[in-house]
Amino acid sequence: MTKNNINVVVAGATGYVGLDLVHLLSKHPNIKIANLCAQKNIGKKINKFDKRIKKKLPKISKIKSVNWNKIDLLFLSLPNGEAQKLIKKLYYKYTNLRFIDLSADFRIENSIKYKNSYNKSHEAKKLIKKSIYSVSELKKNKINNFRIIANPGCYPTSIQIPLIPLLKKKLINNKNITIDSKSGYSGAGKNYKSKFKFKNFYLATYAYGVKGHRHTSEIDQELKKISKKILYTFNPHLIPSFRGILSSIYLNKKKNVTLNKIVNTLRSFYKKDHFINIYKPNAEMGTGNVIGTNNCNISICQTRFKNKIVIFSAIDNLIKGAAGQAIQNMNILYKFKETSGLK
């Protein structure tokens, strides 16, 4: 689908992800923001919530005020369970309207597994098959056939980008993979303090979701499309930083597979992808260079055991893990330059 300019609506514009989305969209050359929607703060200017937003934009309004006949694309940055209701109301009535959902509502292809992970029944089950889960670099040749794009979670994005090419090429042992991910607290949303009540919040590191973080369901889904026999453990942590994710992935490479082979395979796989940066072997790295970008930086390091390696994967959880990837998916969907609005 090719259009020179499109009209977009952002639902959930005042959350952490919503504000990053509005900030990035406001600088995009092909985008007109028609409505900024939220439940509260109706009539207020968006730059009251984020001083980075310099462009004059519509004031915050309720979703019922939108003239859908004039809208091309709806971004939904809503709590889990809400996007499916709104999309269900709009999907068949406005057949030119497309949706990019930043919640988990359309990430899980099996509605029973969705219920098990998110403790709520899916209210738009028939639309799940009309959606596609899209890590941009991995699905860019497929998303044009869909009107509903499920934007991946932040942890799964950081994990799938380095792992999937290596699993497809069968360069690594697909058992005993250990994934240790650390995220800034913005990943928990603006109500993070009500979700995590441990002491010394801004000074401490906190492990949670040990037995089954809800992102495990989408990681399972995508990895098992490659092999049913993949076994891994995943444990997330909150760190006293606002943004950023660093995933440390410990695994065994196959015999006779060198570290350089692993590095070169990833470089070859992502050679046309602007946002993926593969460091030289054994390079130290952290989240500092990805903050405020749509990049995923990856370093592959040899441990002190011959066949054991660790892959470090860093992203900004609010951008590549959410708003930036949503815009990247939009750029692919409408055949805009993939980096537009994201440089």
Side-chain angles (χ1 to χ4, degrees):
M1 183 174 187
T2 306
K3 291 188 81 170
N4 291 330
N5 295 286
I6 62 171
N7 295 318
V8 307
V9 172
V10 178
T14 58
Y16 287 144
V17 171
L19 288 169
D20 265 20
L21 192 53
V22 175
H23 174 235
L24 294 168
L25 287 169
S26 71
K27 300 186 293 181
H28 196 294
N30 304 102
I31 298 304
K32 179 185 177 184
I33 299 175
N35 299 81
L36 297 173
C37 300
Q39 295 280 3
K40 302 176 183 177
N41 302 299
I42 306 304
K44 291 186 178 180
K45 294 180 179 180
I46 194 70
N47 62 7
K48 298 288 185 184
F49 301 90
D50 192 331
K51 299 299 183 186
R52 298 174 302 167
I53 301 170
K54 306 298 183 185
K55 190 174 182 178
K56 187 176 181 181
L57 296 173
K59 291 179 180 179
I60 297 168
S61 61
K62 291 192 174 182
I63 199 79
K64 64 182 180 182
S65 68
V66 177
N67 181 351
W68 295 109
N69 289 307
K70 295 183 178 181
I71 304 304
D72 299 291
L73 176 65
L74 169 61
F75 288 97
L76 303 106
S77 182
L78 300 173
N80 295 321
E82 296 303 312
Q84 57 190 263
K85 298 174 189 175
L86 184 54
I87 294 174
K88 187 178 181 180
K89 288 180 182 178
L90 299 172
Y91 186 87
Y92 293 106
K93 189 173 182 181
Y94 302 97
T95 55
N96 292 320
L97 181 61
R98 293 192 174 202
F99 310 87
I100 296 181
D101 177 23
L102 289 92
S103 78
D105 281 9
F106 290 92
R107 292 176 190 163
I108 310 304
E109 295 168 2
N110 183 307
S111 61
I112 295 172
K113 290 181 179 179
Y114 173 86
K115 184 177 181 179
N116 291 340
S117 295
Y118 291 91
N119 298 315
K120 55 189 73 182
S121 296
H122 205 289
E123 296 186 29
K125 293 184 181 72
K126 291 181 180 179
L127 291 178
I128 295 174
K129 290 183 179 180
K130 296 182 181 296
S131 68
I132 185 169
Y133 176 92
S134 178
V135 175
S136 302
E137 286 77 13
L138 301 175
K139 297 289 178 70
K140 64 175 63 181
N141 296 323
K142 297 180 180 179
I143 70 171
N144 285 297
N145 297 323
F146 294 86
R147 287 174 55 206
I148 303 171
I149 310 301
N151 220 57
C154 49
Y155 287 126
T157 295
S158 71
I159 292 162
Q160 291 177 71
I161 288 173
L163 261 191
I164 283 182
L166 301 180
L167 289 166
K168 283 184 173 179
K169 298 289 186 180
K170 299 182 179 179
L171 297 179
I172 58 176
N173 190 321
N174 61 8
K175 296 181 180 178
N176 299 320
I177 298 171
T178 300
I179 305 167
D180 178 296
S181 296
K182 296 176 176 64
S183 174
Y185 55 84
S186 60
K190 283 194 168 181
N191 296 320
Y192 59 84
K193 279 196 170 182
S194 65
K195 297 177 184 176
F196 297 96
K197 297 182 179 180
F198 57 91
K199 293 181 180 180
N200 300 308
F201 186 91
Y202 298 108
L203 299 172
T205 300
Y206 185 75
Y208 70 105
V210 177
K211 191 173 181 181
H213 187 277
R214 56 193 187 180
H215 280 176
T216 304
S217 56
E218 72 185 86
I219 300 169
D220 276 350
Q221 171 182 283
E222 297 305 305
L223 295 188
K224 286 182 178 178
K225 289 176 182 177
I226 303 168
S227 171
K228 303 290 186 186
K229 297 180 179 179
I230 293 171
L231 296 176
Y232 69 93
T233 55
F234 167 60
N235 211 109
H237 305 71
L238 283 188
I239 59 174
S241 174
F242 180 69
R243 290 175 180 264
I245 283 178
L246 180 65
S247 287
S248 304
I249 306 168
Y250 301 86
L251 49 83
N252 291 308
K253 53 188 175 66
K254 296 276 184 75
K255 289 182 179 179
N256 301 318
V257 173
T258 65
L259 191 68
N260 282 333
K261 174 73 171 174
I262 300 281
V263 172
N264 290 335
T265 296
L266 287 177
R267 283 179 175 164
S268 176
F269 191 91
Y270 291 115
K271 64 184 177 182
K272 295 181 180 179
D273 293 298
H274 177 85
F275 298 112
I276 312 300
N277 302 308
I278 313 299
Y279 284 26
K280 65 181 181 181
N282 296 311
E284 295 180 355
M285 60 164 276
T287 58
N289 289 335
V290 298
I291 299 298
T293 79
N294 196 53
N295 294 342
C296 176
N297 290 356
I298 297 168
S299 175
I300 302 98
C301 299
Q302 181 67 53
T303 70
R304 63 195 184 96
F305 301 105
K306 184 179 179 182
N307 289 319
K308 176 79 76 175
I309 62 171
V310 57
I311 300 172
F312 298 110
S313 176
I315 64 170
D316 185 320
N317 58 298
L318 296 180
I319 302 185
K320 184 59 175 171
Q325 183 152 235
I327 291 172
Q328 188 180 357
N329 278 327
M330 174 195 71
N331 287 339
I332 296 166
L333 197 61
Y334 287 94
K335 293 183 168 55
F336 300 145
K337 187 176 180 182
E338 193 171 335
T339 56
S340 287
L342 296 170
K343 291 181 180 178

